[in-house]
Structure formats: structure tokens, C-alpha cells
Amino acid sequence: MIQTADLRQKAIALIGQLSPEKLSAVVQLLECLAEPPQQNSTSAEEVQLLWHAT
């Protein structure tokens, strides 16, 4: 299994390669994923729609 630090470094490297439009979508996705579970009302389908909207 990949270590958490390695995953973070990989994510940062990938984020650095994104266009501004995709970066905005990724930030929105991360904000949704970072919400506590009891407050997160976004369904998987909604997240996919947000992702593909850019």
C-alpha cells in the first residue's frame, strides 16, 4: 500500500499539471470530500457531474 506522504506528493505533482479550469473542479471535489460525513449531502453522481462539467 502507498504511504500517505507518497500519496500527498503524487497529488501535489498532479495538481501542478492541471489547467485552471480543471484545478477549479478538483478544488470543489476536494472541498466536498473534506466535509464531515454527516454534513456531506453530495452524492457520487453529483460529484461526477461536477467533475465532467469542466
Side-chain angles (χ1 to χ4, degrees):
M1 178 174 260
I2 299 175
Q3 297 292 326
T4 301
D6 293 337
L7 282 175
R8 289 180 191 273
Q9 288 176 352
K10 183 176 181 178
I12 291 167
L14 291 171
I15 286 170
Q17 298 173 20
L18 295 175
S19 67
E21 296 82 18
K22 288 186 178 180
L23 180 59
S24 177
V26 168
V27 169
Q28 289 177 350
L29 175 62
L30 290 172
E31 287 173 340
C32 288
L33 293 174
E35 289 180 5
Q38 66 273 14
Q39 293 178 2
N40 189 348
S41 61
T42 305
S43 70
E45 183 179 0
E46 289 174 318
V47 170
Q48 282 195 320
L49 288 172
L50 284 172
W51 179 254
H52 292 291
T54 58

